[in-house]
Amino acid sequence: MSATESSASTTSMLQENRLFPPPAEFAKDAHISSLEQYEQLHQRSIDEPEAFWAEVAEGLHWFKKWEKVLDWDLPDAKWFVGGQTNLAYNCLDRQIDDGLGDKVALVFEGELVDDNGQPEVVKYTYAELKREVCRFANVLKAQGVRKGDVVTIYMGMIPQLAIAMLACARIGAPHAIIFGGFSAQAICDRVEDGKSKIVVTADGSWRRGKPVPLKKNVDDALEMTKLVEKVIVYQRCKNDVTMKDGRDQWWHDLEKDASDDCPAEPMDSEDLAFILYTSGSTGKPKGIMHTTGGYLVHTTMTSKYTFDLKPDDPDEMYWCTADIGWITGHSYIVYGILPNRVPTLMYEGGPNFPAEDRFWDIIERHKVTKFYTAPTAIRTFMKWGDEHIDKHDLSSLKLLGTVGEPINPEAWMWYREKIGGNRCPIVDTWWQTETGGHMLTPMPGATPTTPGSCCRPMLGIDAAVVNSEGEEVGTNEGGILVIRKPWPSMLRGIYGDRQRFIETYWEKVPGMYCPADGARKDENGNFWITGRIDDVILVAGHNIGTMEVESALVSHDSVAEAAVVGFPHEVKGNGVAAYVILRVPMPAPGSDDAKALQKELIQHVGKELGPVAKPDQVRLTEALPKTRSGKIMRRLLRDIAAGNDITSDTSTLEDRTIVDKLVAQGG
Ligand code: WT7
């Protein structure tokens, strides 16, 4: 693995100065069609934020208009105070009210294909989707769910996931969606944290031709907690499941008599819309809270401008490949896209089923115009080879997006050439679960882009690179990325943990929101993200807390102590390396016993946290390199995992021979 690829953010970007102006053909019809226009709009949004955001909000439906745009008492923001709205109403009813009930809102493609290679495709118009949402909302009500009750959803990428979330939004029950790749332990922890009494799940979810046993995972989780009283199960894969009497019920049974009429609950702007868990630098995942009005306004506005969505263009077909279990899916498959009146495509399964060209096949068949994916996926496609792409006609594409981690310039160029045919602008969007929506991104018809840079602040966003005192650093100087003014979709807190909210985001740089990303700003005013400044590892674009993995390892009977670090990985951006001290006698390095134990520990972490967190390397060791004051020298562990020469200063080490042994032992 070359250093250039993984640390795109630090190495290659230094020489990266290619500048691609927005394609003229695209700029011509874009919502924002020149850099001057963007700069004017942005300046005004910073000078008069309340007027700016009020104008955006006016384009949406409110049961009751707000009295005050912003109430800001750092770190607490209230947006559109006194206003009442509903996310589901704005996603569905508003379109129907305007005569667009028969327009396609959601296109679903299942993973399995029939003997002729044809997949299951289901299309929902706004009217059809609303009916489904209302029916399920009535089911939830009949099960006793009331406004304010947290509903846990653990499903695969099927329309019923979107339907369940919109049903929650419709009746004002905050959802807590758990990514379908998470394990029983993760479900249990989240259910307990959110004090959720009801879980919506499915029997299974198709992944590479096999059902992921979702219901089984829920059953295992509910062995560990007594909180959940009801489980609703959607039948997708018809895999074997056990239904527990008095607790578990089939979705289709409950829906039999459900009415498809359910008025949307007027929600106060600041009513909780959902909780979504994200990993932090300390052990426990954080339940990020998003509220209703501001989240709706911000995600709808950013969807429109970042993807230049065109509701009047009958060919518009938007596809985001993220899972709805992550914030990207919440904001840019469902809540931000549906109010924009363009079809949103949802794909159930893996990118290599039945073959490595599945995504390109989907783009060709559905004539996708706007495509949003992650750098780790792009690097995987590069590795699989261009022949899978060359088979397909991708000429429908007009815009490409990326999100989740810094994109290395090589992958950016490949994306532009091979997928975008050199005619599509690329929007590299920087944001977080906590920010709710896009924060830094090019405007596709306006901003000249450089491979690897996420360019400029979104309208309404006041971003800067500062030192720890909050003073702006010079051009091209590294510093801390901060957001200096509140924005509508900002997190309102960490569920049940006020202190952690303040410490994590508001104390690193006093008075400013600190996302814990390093950054620099270049001479063109473009931002470059240089990597996390906390103990979070971005693995394939997913946040993995080193402490979480360490705790999972230590929960294994044979493990006494563990230290976890990230290291550069060709496809995933970063890999996870674990250094483990055993409670039991250490098997000889490289022996079968050692290998078996390493494998077992990897599986153990997978079971505790889910497959995404599985370490790529497990190194058994007698001791960890510590300073004389007892601090683990993680920098050294990173170098060893990456296979780098140990060039950094080791003079503060208590015992240098530990490092030598680890290097000699190999990965
Ligand atoms: C962290 C947030 C936003 C949805 C997916 C991840 C990193 C995200 C970029 C980008 C460089 C990026 C940051 C951020 N990140 N997008 N375009 N360029 N870094 O959401 O799990 O909350 O992770 O992902 O480090 O803080 P998340």
Side-chain angles (χ1 to χ4, degrees):
M1 152 88 235
S2 69
T4 3
E5 260 175 16
S6 64
S7 31
S9 38
T10 47
T11 323
S12 20
M13 69 175 196
L14 295 176
Q15 321 108 36
E16 186 54 70
N17 49 19
R18 283 172 286 196
L19 206 60
F20 295 90
E25 191 58 25
F26 190 96
K28 195 163 64 82
D29 306 316
H31 291 300
I32 301 180
S33 57
S34 72
L35 193 58
E36 297 70 51
Q37 193 191 350
Y38 157 77
E39 281 173 346
Q40 275 171 15
L41 279 167
H42 184 260
Q43 194 56 51
R44 156 134 202 273
S45 73
I46 297 304
D47 294 342
E48 300 167 43
E50 299 189 24
F52 169 79
W53 286 112
E55 274 164 33
V56 177
E58 264 154 33
L60 289 154
H61 172 270
W62 297 81
F63 293 104
K64 181 167 166 265
K65 202 182 159 171
W66 58 90
E67 281 141 26
K68 202 171 167 204
V69 177
L70 172 65
D71 196 342
W72 177 226
D73 180 11
L74 191 135
D76 298 306
K78 292 197 179 93
W79 282 90
F80 309 108
V81 186
Q84 286 191 327
T85 184
N86 183 290
L87 280 160
Y89 194 98
N90 277 282
C91 287
L92 304 167
D93 308 50
R94 199 177 128 251
Q95 281 56 264
I96 300 166
D97 295 346
D98 286 353
L100 296 172
D102 293 333
K103 185 172 175 173
V104 173
L106 180 89
V107 178
F108 167 71
E109 173 156 328
E111 188 191 66
L112 300 187
V113 293
D114 65 16
D115 294 343
N116 303 318
Q118 292 307 304
E120 170 197 5
V121 173
V122 189
K123 295 184 182 175
Y124 295 82
T125 63
Y126 288 99
E128 288 164 345
L129 194 56
K130 179 185 159 186
R131 275 199 290 278
E132 295 297 325
V133 167
C134 286
R135 286 177 74 190
F136 195 65
N138 282 324
V139 166
L140 289 173
K141 280 205 223 166
Q143 293 304 304
V145 177
R146 297 286 169 264
K147 186 175 173 181
D149 293 347
V150 176
V151 176
T152 300
I153 304 178
Y154 178 70
M155 295 176 100
M157 281 289 285
I158 54 176
Q160 288 69 29
L161 168 54
I163 289 165
M165 69 199 284
L166 287 162
C168 288
R170 197 160 188 92
I171 62 172
H175 50 71
I177 303 183
I178 304 175
F179 170 55
F182 278 136
S183 65
Q185 186 65 53
I187 302 170
C188 169
D189 293 346
R190 286 157 175 77
V191 158
E192 296 220 308
D193 188 81
K195 297 178 206 59
S196 175
K197 293 199 190 115
I198 181 161
V199 176
V200 182
T201 187
D203 51 354
S205 161
W206 293 115
R207 191 78 192 172
R208 304 207 167 95
K210 293 202 191 80
V212 178
L214 296 175
K215 174 64 166 60
K216 169 79 171 63
N217 292 345
V218 170
D219 291 343
D220 292 350
L222 300 192
E223 289 290 303
M224 300 182 265
T225 171
K226 294 276 154 283
L227 223 58
V228 173
E229 293 160 7
K230 297 208 156 113
V231 179
I232 303 177
V233 189
Y234 182 80
Q235 192 172 42
R236 171 66 186 154
C237 303
K238 300 204 164 79
N239 51 318
D240 277 344
V241 295
T242 327
M243 297 292 277
K244 188 170 165 183
D245 251 5
R247 187 193 70 185
D248 304 349
Q249 287 167 283
W250 288 108
W251 174 303
H252 53 259
D253 287 340
L254 295 173
E255 261 202 0
K256 268 191 198 123
D257 310 310
S259 143
D260 57 16
D261 177 36
C262 175
E265 181 76 29
M267 301 292 287
D268 284 339
S269 294
E270 285 301 330
D271 277 341
L272 186 62
F274 63 87
I275 307 171
L276 185 60
Y277 288 85
T278 183
S279 295
S281 38
T282 61
K284 207 172 144 228
K286 303 172 284 194
I288 302 302
M289 300 199 289
H290 283 290
T291 57
T292 306
Y295 177 78
L296 168 71
V297 169
H298 190 110
T299 53
T300 303
M301 185 274 270
T302 51
S303 299
K304 171 179 169 181
Y305 289 119
T306 305
F307 304 121
D308 201 51
L309 297 180
K310 295 284 175 47
D312 297 331
D313 177 355
D315 294 334
E316 194 78 307
M317 177 64 67
Y318 166 90
W319 182 25
C320 165
T321 69
D323 192 290
I324 288 181
W326 309 110
I327 191 71
T328 307
H330 280 61
S331 301
Y332 298 110
I333 295 178
V334 181
Y335 290 126
I337 305 298
L338 289 172
N340 273 293
R341 305 177 167 184
V342 306
T344 183
L345 194 145
M346 210 177 147
Y347 168 57
E348 178 179 31
N352 52 354
F353 191 87
E356 277 82 0
D357 66 339
R358 183 61 184 264
F359 275 19
W360 322 124
D361 187 41
I362 292 176
I363 290 176
E364 179 171 11
R365 275 186 294 104
H366 294 282
K367 300 200 171 44
V368 171
T369 52
K370 313 282 165 77
F371 179 63
Y372 193 30
T373 196
T376 185
I378 297 167
R379 289 190 295 263
T380 306
F381 301 138
M382 287 170 76
K383 229 176 127 168
W384 285 347
D386 293 356
E387 66 271 22
H388 304 294
I389 296 143
D390 296 339
K391 279 196 262 186
H392 294 282
D393 175 6
L394 304 183
S395 61
S396 59
L397 287 171
K398 291 187 178 158
L399 171 146
L400 305 174
T402 129
V403 58
E405 56 182 313
I407 180 164
N408 46 307
E410 194 194 355
W412 195 99
M413 289 303 295
W414 181 89
Y415 197 30
R416 182 184 145 87
E417 283 162 25
K418 289 307 297 183
I419 308 303
N422 287 321
R423 74 182 177 276
C424 302
I426 295 182
V427 287
D428 175 356
T429 58
W430 176 90
W431 58 295
Q432 306 179 294
T433 306
E434 292 87 338
T435 70
H438 297 156
M439 301 298 279
L440 297 170
T441 174
M443 289 292 101
T447 317
T449 49
T450 297
S453 164
C454 49
C455 296
R456 306 286 191 105
M458 174 46 76
L459 303 181
I461 301 305
D462 183 20
V465 182
V466 301
N467 61 23
S468 49
E469 270 78 61
E471 298 151 353
E472 259 190 281
V473 300
T475 301
N476 280 321
E477 241 177 78
I480 307 167
L481 179 65
V482 289
I483 312 297
R484 294 184 292 203
K485 283 201 168 83
W487 66 100
S489 65
M490 64 198 291
L491 78 164
R492 300 302 195 266
I494 296 176
Y495 197 72
D497 203 340
R498 172 85 186 163
Q499 197 48 37
R500 192 171 177 200
F501 168 61
I502 293 168
E503 280 165 15
T504 311
Y505 306 107
W506 301 98
E507 281 183 348
K508 289 190 183 98
V509 185
M512 300 175 190
Y513 173 80
C514 179
D517 277 304
R520 74 181 169 92
K521 205 165 133 178
D522 69 17
E523 50 286 346
N524 300 315
N526 286 332
F527 285 77
W528 297 78
I529 305 297
T530 51
R532 300 287 305 183
I533 56 170
D534 59 5
D535 291 328
V536 168
I537 315 172
L538 283 173
V539 180
H542 302 316
N543 284 5
I544 307 290
T546 51
M547 287 263 295
E548 261 180 286
V549 184
E550 286 165 9
S551 315
L553 284 163
V554 175
S555 76
H556 187 280
D557 287 343
S558 307
V559 177
E561 195 183 345
V564 166
V565 295
F567 69 95
H569 187 286
E570 194 178 349
V571 174
K572 300 195 286 185
N574 294 291
V576 173
Y579 293 79
V580 172
I581 301 176
L582 298 174
R583 274 178 203 289
V584 292
M586 188 171 123
S591 66
D592 286 348
D593 284 354
K595 284 188 191 135
L597 184 56
Q598 284 162 325
K599 209 169 143 200
E600 189 179 321
L601 293 176
I602 292 171
Q603 296 307 336
H604 178 73
V605 175
K607 210 175 120 249
E608 291 290 305
L609 300 174
V612 267
K614 276 187 187 173
D616 301 270
Q617 304 179 6
V618 170
R619 292 168 185 251
L620 308 176
T621 177
E622 305 278 0
L624 291 165
K626 289 188 180 167
T627 61
R628 280 168 232 277
S629 59
K631 236 177 143 249
I632 297 172
M633 289 191 70
R634 291 174 183 272
R635 190 165 32 89
L636 285 173
L637 296 182
R638 277 192 280 270
D639 279 340
I640 297 168
N644 295 342
D645 294 338
I646 308 296
T647 49
S648 45
D649 179 22
T650 54
S651 60
T652 54
L653 268 186
E654 202 197 337
D655 180 1
R656 159 87 211 201
T657 61
I658 295 166
V659 174
D660 299 332
K661 273 195 204 151
L662 277 169
V663 171
Q665 180 180 319

